[in-house]
Amino acid sequence: MSVLVLEARKWAQTMSIAFSDRLAYKFDFVLYVLGPSIVFFFIKYNLWVSIYSYQTESVIKGYDLGMMLQYQAWILIVSFLAQGHTSLQLAEDIRLGRISSYLLYPFSFWQYHTAAFFSLQVIQIFVATVSLMVLVLAGLLPVNLDLLIQGVFFSLLVGLLWFAFQFTIGLLAFWLEETWVLRVMLMLVAQFLSGAIIPLELYPDWLRSLLLYTPFPYLAYIPVKIFMGEYDASYLQTLLILIFWIGAVFMLARFVWRRGLRLYSAAGM
Amino acid sequence: MISCKSLSKNFQIHIKRPGISGALRAFVTREYRDVSAVKSFDLDIPSGEIVGFLGPNGAGKTTLIKMLTGIIVPSSGSAIVLGYEPFARAVEFRKQIALVMGQKSQLWWDIPAYDSFLLLKSYYEISTSDFNQRLNELTELLNVQHLLQTHVRRLSLGERMKMELIACLLHQPKVIFLDEPTIGLDLVAQTAIRDFITRYHALYGCTVVLTSHYMADVEALCSRIVLILDGAKRFDGSIESFEGLLGNEKYISLTFDKEARDSNPIWEELRAEWNEQGTRVDLRIPETRLPELLGTLLQNYPVSDINTEKLPIEKVMRTLLDKPEMLKS
């Protein structure tokens, strides 16, 4: 049997086990995947509806109420497609020393967690599809197949960027006893800087242009704009920049992993 | 098969001072304390042997095993296992060894053991026919066929340990490290695990390195004992020579009708250990003087029961831990 087939089988089997592991507590899973995003969506929905009702002008920085709600609805879809992963499990594996087992298997720790991420993505894509259908049927989102394909593809790549971020933070468990606070901070900072709460147009111009040099807008604002057909820059160029960021954060993760492993294998913890 | 030369491991342990001021101080200047966990260890284990690492908690047994499996890197010295340097963690090396840690589960908690086995099947690239045949054999030996589809978290500790053993043996490793495989198990389960290891070893002749706090494990399984105290090797040899380590003394326990403790110097000489009430005493008598001394004691004291045995390994162990200086002679 060829090496490739054997390797593919390892990944597939890991995905399958991560899948059943995640679905072992079904209620918990539903709360964890759906809960935060949907609650957050409804809060923002009501917030913007009431903001617009007090506003004398019906357009804020180019957004009327319908556009703003559409923006928020796309944010929900993007968060399903791209931001489902957390590195909770990874950090636990390190902190509790379970990493020792992975160091013995002929399948590495990063491979295991990457495969687990892929299996989560399968679920997330399903959830995103159902949500999209609901939102379209509710009349909140228009459908344009071209934009949809571009947006979904882009969002899935954003998922990789998010995964790389999470992976790096999870690895800090080599040095820190608890990475929960850091993860929450990453989430909050990312929420604000990525435009997930307020579209970036509403920020001061200098901040907006500054942010576009960081990876944050790629997490929410840019994919949403692509879904809405409003992103001015070339799709291909944006895609390349995103890929650059993914590469950069993965390099960072790799660096942190090596340092951490050296610490772990030197100290045994 | 396994050999190491002056293998050492030092840890830097970060000193944490109590309180907020301590935490702040640690932020600015971290203080470290050097701890040497394994000191210049030499070891040679030929293929097919079962060796027991003995020693109290924190003696360095697990550190040694972690170095031999490649989980941690030695500070100095060399180790060769199966022709590989363990800490290079070559995939080929990892495919030939296994480690079972009694205190840490390697199985996925929330899914049946069988699913974990399937995962390991793909990791170790085991063919389906080999896998089925080995799984059948192992589950039969351990009598757990009916538990394969049960979620691991619902298994008892003993059942889980059996599954852990299966998980580590599916790829037929040449060297197996068992770090306290019977910890926390009841006597029946301990015996089952022990019997299994004996039978498995007889079938496949793999090399086994075992640590345990239960002397019964060591007595039943190991042909050779390595005693580790404070990171250093203090004894390396057969069980018989270990038992004879404290001289050829008989271990005798006498029970009396009423309190018999008195100031007779003979007690001191025989290193008497009395119970609270002074109605029972443990003595160590040199084999050659046994008839004579026992006769005297029976004549002069109201002995109601006598128990004599060879100094059990557990006693040897306890004595050595109390008085490690006895080993130097």
Side-chain angles (χ1 to χ4, degrees):
Chain A
M1 217 175 311
S2 86
V3 180
L4 221 60
V5 174
L6 287 172
E7 208 55 36
R9 194 171 286 171
K10 291 178 193 173
W11 284 82
Q13 198 72 43
T14 310
M15 282 176 67
S16 136
I17 212 160
F19 199 81
S20 13
D21 199 34
R22 205 171 291 263
L23 292 178
Y25 300 96
K26 292 181 186 63
F27 183 66
D28 201 50
F29 176 76
V30 167
L31 282 185
Y32 163 83
V33 169
L34 300 177
S37 302
I38 288 182
V39 169
F40 214 43
F41 172 68
F42 278 106
I43 291 174
K44 288 188 290 185
Y45 183 95
N46 287 309
L47 185 71
W48 285 110
V49 167
S50 59
I51 288 175
Y52 276 90
S53 71
Y54 284 111
Q55 193 74 17
T56 43
E57 299 141 71
S58 58
V59 178
I60 305 171
K61 296 267 187 180
Y63 286 86
D64 63 17
L65 179 60
M67 289 276 281
M68 183 58 81
L69 295 182
Q70 204 191 109
Y71 183 91
Q72 297 299 347
W74 282 120
I75 289 280
L76 179 71
I77 299 298
V78 171
S79 77
F80 281 142
L81 285 175
Q83 294 172 22
H85 182 77
T86 79
S87 54
L88 182 73
Q89 186 72 46
L90 178 138
E92 287 266 278
D93 279 350
I94 294 174
R95 204 167 56 86
L96 300 179
R98 278 198 293 255
I99 182 178
S100 292
S101 315
Y102 295 100
L103 293 180
L104 293 174
Y105 295 141
F107 194 72
S108 313
F109 186 70
W110 74 265
Q111 291 174 308
Y112 176 84
H113 281 283
T114 309
F117 161 71
F118 288 148
S119 85
L120 174 72
Q121 284 301 80
V122 173
I123 304 173
Q124 297 286 102
I125 290 171
F126 172 76
V127 172
T129 310
V130 173
S131 313
L132 184 68
M133 289 197 299
V134 171
L135 290 169
V136 169
L137 288 177
L140 266 172
L141 292 178
V143 200
N144 174 326
L145 204 59
D146 265 3
L147 293 175
L148 196 65
I149 291 169
Q150 285 185 14
V152 167
F153 182 68
F154 196 86
S155 300
L156 289 176
L157 280 179
V158 172
L160 274 179
L161 178 63
W162 181 251
F163 171 65
F165 265 127
Q166 285 282 341
F167 196 89
T168 312
I169 288 204
L171 287 178
L172 294 178
F174 277 123
W175 293 269
L176 305 170
E177 269 155 46
E178 191 49 83
T179 57
W180 188 83
V181 176
L182 277 179
R183 269 199 305 280
V184 172
M185 272 169 62
L186 171 72
M187 212 186 77
L188 285 177
V189 167
Q191 290 282 351
F192 270 101
L193 301 185
S194 67
I197 296 179
I198 308 166
L200 294 188
E201 285 93 345
L202 273 64
Y203 288 175
D205 280 344
W206 63 267
L207 183 60
R208 180 168 175 267
S209 27
L210 190 73
L211 281 176
L212 286 171
Y213 286 102
T214 71
F216 291 109
Y218 291 83
L219 293 174
Y221 175 77
I222 294 176
V224 166
K225 284 293 180 181
I226 290 173
F227 272 122
M228 294 173 79
E230 289 180 5
Y231 198 60
D232 307 330
S234 105
Y235 181 70
L236 196 66
Q237 194 189 340
T238 318
L239 212 57
L240 286 176
I241 299 175
L242 174 63
I243 290 170
F244 162 78
W245 280 118
I246 294 172
V249 184
F250 267 116
M251 292 296 277
L252 178 69
R254 204 174 117 100
F255 174 74
V256 176
W257 163 250
R258 297 210 159 167
R259 294 294 300 260
L261 190 64
R262 201 188 309 162
L263 180 83
Y264 183 85
S265 62
M269 308 223 295
Chain B
M1 183 80 15
I2 299 177
S3 92
C4 46
K5 281 215 166 50
S6 31
L7 194 66
S8 305
K9 179 73 199 177
N10 303 315
F11 291 128
Q12 276 203 328
I13 293 191
H14 170 210
I15 302 172
K16 278 188 184 131
R17 295 186 184 279
I20 295 174
S21 67
L24 286 175
R25 201 183 312 165
F27 218 75
V28 187
T29 52
R30 287 200 148 204
E31 289 175 85
Y32 293 99
R33 187 163 54 94
D34 269 327
V35 175
S36 76
V38 172
K39 294 167 189 157
S40 191
F41 216 92
D42 294 333
L43 189 66
D44 257 297
I45 301 177
S47 178
E49 199 167 40
I50 306 190
V51 179
F53 286 0
L54 294 183
N57 290 329
K61 306 183 297 285
T62 303
T63 307
L64 195 58
I65 285 191
K66 281 185 172 171
M67 283 194 277
L68 294 177
T69 48
I71 293 173
I72 61 176
V73 183
S75 307
S76 64
S78 73
I80 301 287
V81 177
L82 289 161
Y84 295 89
E85 280 199 330
F87 39 90
R89 301 202 296 112
V91 173
E92 274 314 306
F93 169 69
R94 288 192 253 170
K95 280 185 185 170
Q96 298 181 55
I97 61 159
L99 167 65
V100 175
M101 290 172 281
Q103 317 225 44
K104 267 175 202 155
S105 178
Q106 301 185 53
L107 298 168
W108 282 259
W109 203 245
D110 292 320
I111 44 178
Y114 187 73
D115 294 19
S116 291
F117 297 158
L118 279 179
L119 186 66
L120 295 171
K121 169 182 182 287
S122 70
Y123 283 0
Y124 289 103
E125 300 169 4
I126 306 166
S127 75
T128 305
S129 58
D130 278 353
F131 174 79
N132 288 335
Q133 184 241 320
R134 290 175 198 172
L135 189 62
N136 264 334
E137 186 185 348
L138 291 167
T139 47
E140 218 163 282
L141 274 172
L142 284 164
N143 197 18
V144 287
Q145 300 95 319
H146 57 294
L147 295 171
L148 281 174
Q149 302 296 344
T150 309
H151 285 74
V152 171
R153 64 168 188 275
R154 294 192 202 284
L155 297 176
S156 75
L157 190 59
E159 290 163 348
R160 209 184 75 215
M161 205 56 231
K162 290 177 179 177
M163 294 301 185
E164 299 273 351
L165 279 171
I166 294 176
C168 99
L169 296 174
L170 279 172
H171 62 290
Q172 289 196 337
K174 294 193 177 134
V175 180
I176 305 167
F177 296 91
L178 303 169
D179 194 7
E180 299 184 21
T182 52
I183 195 160
L185 301 187
D186 63 50
L187 287 170
V188 178
Q190 279 182 32
T191 317
I193 300 273
R194 236 174 259 149
D195 290 348
F196 168 74
I197 297 173
T198 314
R199 289 169 73 182
Y200 187 85
H201 179 260
L203 278 172
Y204 294 100
C206 43
T207 310
V208 180
V209 174
L210 170 102
T211 77
S212 177
H213 287 294
Y214 300 121
M215 291 306 129
D217 284 351
V218 177
E219 271 184 298
L221 294 170
C222 306
S223 48
R224 175 175 162 199
I225 288 180
V226 174
L227 178 69
I228 305 169
L229 293 178
D230 221 0
K233 184 163 91 172
R234 301 301 297 272
F235 175 84
D236 185 349
S238 68
I239 288 231
E240 294 75 30
S241 56
F242 186 74
E243 286 167 339
L245 208 57
L246 300 180
N248 289 324
E249 289 179 316
K250 285 280 182 187
Y251 171 72
I252 297 212
S253 137
L254 298 176
T255 311
F256 307 100
D257 290 337
K258 53 183 200 292
E259 182 168 355
R261 182 164 37 192
D262 57 22
S263 54
N264 193 336
I266 195 171
W267 301 127
E268 182 97 359
E269 185 194 338
L270 299 178
R271 282 173 287 167
E273 283 174 36
W274 291 92
N275 69 352
E276 229 16 58
Q277 296 79 27
T279 53
R280 234 191 80 123
V281 68
D282 291 345
L283 302 171
R284 270 185 243 145
I285 305 183
E287 236 164 339
T288 46
R289 295 182 59 202
L290 187 65
E292 164 218 337
L293 283 171
L294 207 53
T296 322
L297 288 172
L298 282 172
Q299 247 170 27
N300 300 328
Y301 292 91
V303 177
S304 62
D305 192 19
I306 306 179
N307 221 326
T308 168
E309 56 183 319
K310 205 168 52 172
L311 203 55
I313 180 170
E314 203 154 329
K315 271 272 178 192
V316 178
M317 197 54 197
R318 209 180 311 148
T319 314
L320 289 177
L321 293 188
D322 275 348
K323 303 190 184 104
E325 66 276 4
M326 293 181 75
L327 277 165
K328 282 195 183 117
S329 53

